[in-house]
Every structure is written in C-alpha cells, then in structure tokens.
Amino acid sequence: MKAVVLHGIEDLRVEPREERPLGPGEVRVRVESGGICGSDLHYFHDHRIGDFPVRELFVLGHEGAGTVAEVGPGVTLVAVGDRVAINPSHPCGQCAYCRSDREQLCADMLFLGSSRRFPHAQGLFAETFATHERQCVKVPAGTPSRVAALAEPLSVVLHALSHAGPLLGRRVLVTGAGPIGAIVLAAARLAGATVEITDVTPEPLRVAEALGADRVHDVAATPGSVADPAFPRGRFDAAFECSGHPAALATCLDQLAPGGTLVQVGTYADPKVSLPMDRLMAKEITLKSSFRFARDFPVAVDLLASGRIDLGPVLSHEFAAADAMEAFRTASDRRRSMKVHLRF
Ligand SMILES: [Zn+2]
Ligand SMILES: [Zn+2]
C-alpha cells in the first residue's frame, strides 16, 4: 500500500509501505478520506511541532475515515465492510487522568501522526491503516467519508465548548476563522449561542457567514469593529481564541464582559505571550485552555452523521493522495482554502 511520508521540510513523498499483520482485536481500514490539520501543516513546513522535532520517516495524518477491509482475531465491534471514522487518540486507560475522565491529559498518550513520542506515532495518510477495533466508530452508509473525517476536529471543538459551560442564549466571540474557529462557530450556534467571529483575511469570514455567523469582523480592514460603545467593559459571555495570535487574545480580554470565560484553543507560534493581567483580574475573567479531546469522538460522529451539524462550507478542497504536495500547499493558503482532504 502507499502512504504519504514526510522526509523533511516541505518534502512529502507518496511511497509504498509494508502492511503489518493484524494483532488480536485489530482491524485494517481502507482509508478513503484524510483531513489535513494545522498540526500536519506545522510538520510539513517546519519538520517539527513546538518542542517536538520529527526524527524519523513520518506518515502524517490523524483525521480519517474509511471502510473496514480486514479484521484480526477476536474482533467483535466491527465487521468487514463497515464504514468507520478513526479515533486517533489512544489514552493509556490506566493513569490517574484516564481514570478521572480527563484522558486528554493522559500521562502516556499515543496520538496518531504525532512526534511527541519516539518512535513516533505514525499517522493515517495511507491507503490502509491498522488500528484497534475500539478506535473505530461506525458511520452510517449515507455519510461521506470526508464528512466522517471531520469527527476529529469536531471532537476538539466539543471539548473546547465544554470548558465554557452552557451556551444557550449566551454571546460568544470566536477569534480566528480557520477550520477550528469555523467549527467552534457552528457548534456554539448549535448549542444556542449568538456568535461573532473575527479574522484578518476576508475569505474565511465568507465561510463563517455560510455557517450562520451572527456577525463577522474583518479586524484587519476595520480594527476595533468588535468593540461596542454601549458595552465599555465588553459584551461577550465567552470567547474562544482559535487564532494563536497575541492581538486576538487581547481582543478577547477587552471584549469579554466581566465574569466571562476565555478558552484558549489555538496554538501560538511564539508561546511567550504577555497578558494584560489587570484587565483579567479586575473583570474576574476565567482563563481556560483546551487540548485535544476526551470522550467527545462518538458524539462528534453522531452529530455529523445525523446532519444536526452541517460543516459542508468548511470542506473546501479534495486532492488525490498522489497530489499530496499540492494539497498541503493549498491547505497552507488561507485565502484559498479551509479544510483540505486527501482522497485515497
Ligand atoms: Zn486535527
Ligand atoms: Zn492515561
């Protein structure tokens, strides 16, 4: 089978890989669609993510869905021919975090397509992928694999939303209208919030409008447009910072109403950020952060499969896996693309 292998900075090659034999409880999934995530782009451009360099040949990808092609001994949860979304998160199940429903903080996490461990956890951008049956969540026949593959970013978003408490009737600000910010917008609206969203380029904001944004703000063209003189201390109950940009963080702190909650979702290129602590303190703002997800994955699959959340506008491009280089370049251009998928 062929896989999309990262050899170095902006050096992706589609090349043959051995299929490994299946162990007890394992299944082989014929991957049909794989979503390119911001973390994949960090690996592509920098050959590292944060403090974790890539140290061996590395198959990218942690957002994927397909069809079960083969089952190993003892498999009971899925059968050949089942369509599934692959949960890339493998918490150990044993540590104190896993035993207290906080798997995302697991002390021994294995997450697909991540260089945090060595040897790296290889990703699923491949024609076939072997994984444990418990990582597979069944998807109904009518749901395309490119939609099912959105279960992973939607899980990240559901987990982020859980940090902000009930959103029914609340005013929410989202900074950054990339795929994650756009999905936060859609999910927060589903949860009953009024949602405004910012970005510094107009194209993603058009997608945000298609997803039902109550207001969009191009903060490059009209700085200060989020502010409302009628609410000098801010007017939002919750803010989700999805851009990883210090100026957006400052906007969140300015525009949150006293007592509001800020959830940090985006990754910062330079993590050393200074905060206006006086504002944080005097408004009693709660600052939280959100990392990956816990038990949200089956819920995300269900929301997508049932059509209760329609992320169609987020899906901007699909490329054959053989054109992975072009797919990654397209995904890197925020003016041209939102979520880009590889088709296997
Ligand atoms: Zn992702
Ligand atoms: Zn654990």
Side-chain angles (χ1 to χ4, degrees), residues 37 62-63 152-153:
C37 184
H62 60 268
E63 304 177 4
E152 197 274 339

Side-chain angles (χ1 to χ4, degrees), residues 35-40 62-63 111 152-153 156 180 339:
I36 299 174
C37 184
S39 61
D40 297 312
H62 60 268
E63 304 177 4
F111 199 90
E152 197 274 339
V156 169
I180 289 291
K339 181 58 92 179

Side-chain angles (χ1 to χ4, degrees), residues 31-34 127 317-323 341-344:
V31 179
E32 288 158 0
S33 189
E127 287 175 325
H317 293 77
E318 224 180 349
F319 287 87
D323 300 323
H341 280 89
L342 291 174
R343 198 175 51 237
F344 291 91

Side-chain angles (χ1 to χ4, degrees), residues 91-98 103 105-109:
C92 77
Q94 311 287 325
C95 72
Y97 296 105
C98 284
E103 288 110 328
L105 302 177
C106 173
D108 190 25
M109 173 67 85

Side-chain angles (χ1 to χ4, degrees), residues 218-239:
D218 183 339
V219 289
T222 46
S225 84
V226 186
D228 183 337
F231 297 87
R233 294 205 294 164
R235 62 195 168 94
F236 294 95
D237 303 299

Side-chain angles (χ1 to χ4, degrees), residues 1-185:
M1 62 97 171
K2 286 194 175 135
V4 178
V5 184
L6 185 68
H7 281 252
I9 289 179
E10 296 183 15
D11 183 4
L12 274 180
R13 301 182 202 171
V14 181
E15 53 191 26
R17 284 243 155 165
E18 288 281 300
E19 278 186 342
R20 65 173 174 82
L22 297 179
E26 286 193 320
V27 303
R28 196 176 322 280
V29 179
R30 183 160 43 73
V31 179
E32 288 158 0
S33 189
I36 299 174
C37 184
S39 61
D40 297 312
L41 294 174
H42 281 293
Y43 287 125
F44 177 66
H45 292 294
D46 308 330
H47 208 230
R48 64 186 303 126
I49 193 157
D51 294 333
F52 300 95
V54 178
R55 290 184 280 163
E56 60 180 328
L57 290 183
F58 188 35
V59 179
L60 297 175
H62 60 268
E63 304 177 4
T67 300
V68 176
E70 185 188 345
V71 298
V75 166
T76 57
L77 299 177
V78 294
V80 170
D82 280 349
R83 302 195 47 256
V84 294
I86 300 170
N87 183 345
S89 174
H90 300 61
C92 77
Q94 311 287 325
C95 72
Y97 296 105
C98 284
R99 286 185 281 113
S100 59
D101 288 349
R102 294 178 294 167
E103 288 110 328
Q104 75 279 10
L105 302 177
C106 173
D108 190 25
M109 173 67 85
L110 185 148
F111 199 90
L112 299 185
S114 166
S115 66
R116 284 172 196 258
R117 304 165 64 113
F118 189 83
H120 301 335
Q122 298 287 324
L124 50 67
F125 285 168
E127 287 175 325
T128 65
F129 188 75
T131 189
H132 199 279
E133 60 172 338
R134 76 172 90 86
Q135 302 302 126
C136 297
V137 177
K138 283 197 221 179
V139 175
T143 306
S145 287
R146 64 180 182 281
V147 173
L150 290 170
E152 197 274 339
L154 179 55
S155 300
V156 169
V157 163
L158 296 178
H159 181 60
L161 257 56
S162 74
H163 289 295
L167 292 179
L168 183 63
R170 303 281 163 146
R171 287 186 209 200
V172 165
L173 176 66
V174 180
T175 49
I180 289 291
I183 299 173
V184 168
L185 154 71

